[in-house]
Amino acid sequence: MPLAPSLLTDFIAIVGAPNALTAPADTLPYTQEWRGLWHGTTPLVLKPRTTTEVAAILAHANTTGTPIIPQSGNTGLVGAQVPDASGREVILSLARMNTVRAIDPDGYALTVEAGVTLRNVQDAAERANRLFPLSLASEGSCMIGGNLSTNAGGIAVLSYGNARDMVLGLEVVLADGRIWNGLRALRKDNTGYDLKHLFIGGEGTLGVITAAVLKLFPRPREKATAFVGLNSPAKALALFQQMRAAAGPGLTAFELMPRLAINFVLRHYPKHRDPLAGRHAWYVLLEVAGASDDGTTRALAERELMAAIESGTAEDVAIAESIGQSRAFWAMREDLPETQKPEGGSIKHDVSVPIASIPDLIARGDEGLAKLMPGVRPLPFGHFGDGNLHYNVSQPVGMDKAAFLARTGDVSKIIYDLVIELSGSISAEHGIGRLKREQLTKVKSVVELDMMRAVKAAFDPKGILSPGRVL
């Protein structure tokens, strides 16, 4: 049954007609995600400007039993932020809540609203000569509320941790409309349960994050960025161990890519150039950062990478000679996800395993996929340094896309079974949403699921927030 017009009118009155969307043409961008995997319908998109308005929306939704789907930048990959096909779920967009409320350079803290884009958070920190290290390919459009709700990872987890490690405090509106003001910039606070961590990674199922106090860090004064060619993931593991031992926390990124990834980028983005003179089976894009600008960081990188070539760990190396070349190296990695679309169907997996198990995961995964579907093109890439791979699988050349995607269950079973065997996780940084909801019951114990359901029932007893997501 559709939502009553009078109910919609009540919601619209909270934010004002100019900040409510009802026409299908206007709501369309909010009802599908960029990969085209999830589509839905909604009778209403609400765009509040203040926490008080968010509270009024949730209070009314709780009273009337109206399902609410919180949405920030709509860059999620597991369907949590997209409404279903029922036409009953109202979207709550945080996009207009985009104010940087306060910055404390001395205290290394920044308070921002949920609708501030990640890039604008980074820029605000930079203007204060500080660093906010969370970095994703979608940082120009993703918003910090969504980053926190999914506990985003990105390229700097190796040195700085996931999104939850960069948060000091939160402001959250609960399902019944109450506001929890936990915007504390304290580094130590042992006064009971650390409630913020329930909402970070909660995917909008327990409350709506409206603002956050974020940790800032000193800006590195020197960086060395390098592309490295290798012949196997095992060699990448050896290089990682060497660079980690030499640079310690100064090794801020270590990304793994197969040659197929480079081919995709070069084929679909003519602006890019092959990073090395020869072709290699595997590549690592790494970065070392330092607190001084006296050349010691680059010298360390050069010394270790030359030693890696001499020992046979690496086959070739290119160290960026300028900021522009460093950006060009990183642009290849950032453009990689988009290149999979024109290559046809892509079955994606966001998984993690112990770092030492990555070579085994890739070798056995590729072997199993080849047996299942000759000609399939495995594309495992990503954040090697923290054990997180995007083990994507592109369709065989010439195969019908629909026929390939129809085998998603078979393909995913190979990858997930291996990940579980290797004591890994089926979701490293993208979340559960709707995509992996059923899979979650296979990897979580009955006790774990009972605890999760108890938390959900305590915070949202009527089930109005993101119903059917995660659980």
Side-chain angles (χ1 to χ4, degrees):
M1 179 182 298
L3 298 181
S6 59
L7 178 60
L8 300 181
T9 299
D10 291 341
F11 280 119
I12 293 171
I14 295 171
V15 298
N19 303 309
L21 308 176
T22 57
D26 295 331
T27 62
L28 183 62
Y30 300 84
T31 60
Q32 55 189 337
E33 44 87 59
W34 71 273
R35 289 194 316 194
L37 182 62
W38 299 99
H39 303 267
T41 60
T42 183
L44 180 62
V45 175
L46 297 170
K47 303 175 73 174
R49 178 63 193 88
T50 67
T51 302
T52 301
E53 290 179 350
V54 175
I57 291 168
L58 292 193
H60 193 51
N62 193 58
T63 299
T64 59
T66 306
I68 299 291
I69 307 299
Q71 187 180 104
S72 291
N74 194 17
T75 58
L77 298 173
V78 292
Q81 81 283 9
V82 178
D84 63 20
S86 69
R88 291 182 50 81
E89 295 183 337
V90 172
I91 294 176
L92 174 60
S93 169
L94 282 300
R96 292 181 64 235
M97 296 190 65
N98 56 6
T99 298
V100 175
R101 292 187 183 177
I103 185 163
D104 178 10
D106 294 334
Y108 285 81
L110 174 67
T111 304
V112 298
E113 293 180 339
V116 179
T117 66
L118 177 54
R119 180 166 296 157
N120 285 343
V121 172
Q122 296 166 345
D123 290 345
E126 184 174 359
R127 288 193 296 271
N129 194 31
R130 297 293 182 260
L131 172 72
F132 184 68
L134 185 64
S135 182
L136 315 171
S138 61
E139 59 195 29
S141 54
C142 66
M143 299 174 188
I144 197 67
N147 297 148
L148 301 185
S149 291
T150 57
N151 188 29
I155 62 174
V157 172
L158 171 60
S159 204
Y160 297 99
N162 287 77
R164 74 169 64 252
D165 299 304
M166 304 177 199
V167 178
L168 294 169
L170 291 180
E171 177 185 83
V172 179
V173 180
L174 303 180
D176 60 7
R178 288 180 296 163
I179 300 171
W180 170 50
N181 185 352
L183 291 176
R184 304 180 186 94
L186 300 175
R187 303 279 167 158
K188 289 184 174 180
D189 181 3
N190 277 333
T191 53
Y193 303 131
D194 196 344
L195 297 173
K196 65 178 178 289
H197 288 296
L198 288 171
F199 302 100
I200 301 171
E203 299 185 52
T205 62
L206 302 179
V208 176
I209 296 172
T210 50
V213 183
L214 306 173
K215 292 181 186 177
L216 301 182
F217 297 82
R219 293 190 63 77
R221 300 183 67 185
E222 183 182 5
K223 291 182 180 180
T225 308
F227 241 112
V228 186
L230 317 97
N231 65 19
S232 70
K235 295 292 187 181
L237 177 60
L239 179 64
F240 172 73
Q241 293 169 334
Q242 176 189 339
M243 295 301 298
R244 185 70 162 170
L251 181 63
T252 55
F254 196 94
E255 299 285 305
L256 180 70
M257 291 171 277
R259 178 64 204 187
L260 182 64
I262 303 298
N263 290 345
F264 280 10
V265 171
L266 296 178
R267 185 178 301 149
H268 301 292
Y269 285 88
K271 67 178 182 180
H272 291 302
R273 298 292 179 267
D274 220 316
L276 299 172
R279 294 166 62 94
H280 303 272
W282 291 88
Y283 295 81
V284 161
L285 174 57
L286 64 84
E287 193 161 86
V288 181
S292 64
D293 58 0
D294 57 3
T296 55
T297 297
R298 184 179 178 88
L300 181 151
E302 289 178 344
R303 181 186 73 238
E304 295 300 326
L305 291 171
M306 292 308 104
I309 290 179
E310 292 172 3
S311 68
T313 297
E315 297 178 335
D316 195 10
V317 171
I319 302 177
E321 298 292 342
S322 65
I323 293 175
Q325 189 177 13
S326 174
R327 289 173 177 167
F329 283 172
W330 278 110
M332 295 192 74
R333 169 63 180 87
E334 291 163 0
D335 287 339
L336 175 55
E338 284 284 355
T339 66
Q340 295 165 80
K341 285 184 178 180
E343 291 291 331
S346 177
I347 300 173
K348 303 181 186 299
H349 310 91
D350 162 49
V351 299
S352 64
V353 295
I355 296 170
S357 298
I358 290 178
D360 192 24
L361 171 65
I362 293 174
R364 294 171 62 189
D366 286 3
E367 181 183 5
L369 292 170
K371 291 180 180 178
L372 175 72
M373 194 181 306
V376 74
R377 295 176 292 170
L379 190 69
F381 70 95
H383 319 307
F384 188 104
D386 55 52
N388 175 197
L389 280 186
H390 301 297
Y391 205 130
N392 297 348
V393 184
S394 288
Q395 70 180 62
V397 175
M399 184 177 184
D400 177 72
K401 180 178 178 179
F404 172 71
L405 294 178
R407 303 293 303 277
T408 295
D410 297 331
V411 169
S412 294
K413 186 177 189 305
I414 290 174
I415 303 304
Y416 289 150
D417 284 355
L418 269 174
V419 165
I420 294 168
E421 180 185 336
L422 295 171
S423 300
S425 170
I426 63 167
S427 180
E429 63 179 2
H430 291 166
I432 297 298
R434 286 188 282 164
L435 180 65
K436 300 182 181 181
R437 183 183 60 191
E438 303 307 321
Q439 191 70 29
L440 187 67
T441 63
K442 301 176 184 177
V443 298
K444 291 289 189 184
S445 70
V446 173
V447 173
E448 287 173 307
L449 290 171
D450 282 349
M451 288 192 293
M452 291 174 69
R453 292 187 181 105
V455 171
K456 172 67 172 175
F459 280 88
D460 182 20
K462 294 188 177 180
I464 65 161
L465 286 175
S466 299
R469 279 71 172 174
V470 183
L471 296 171

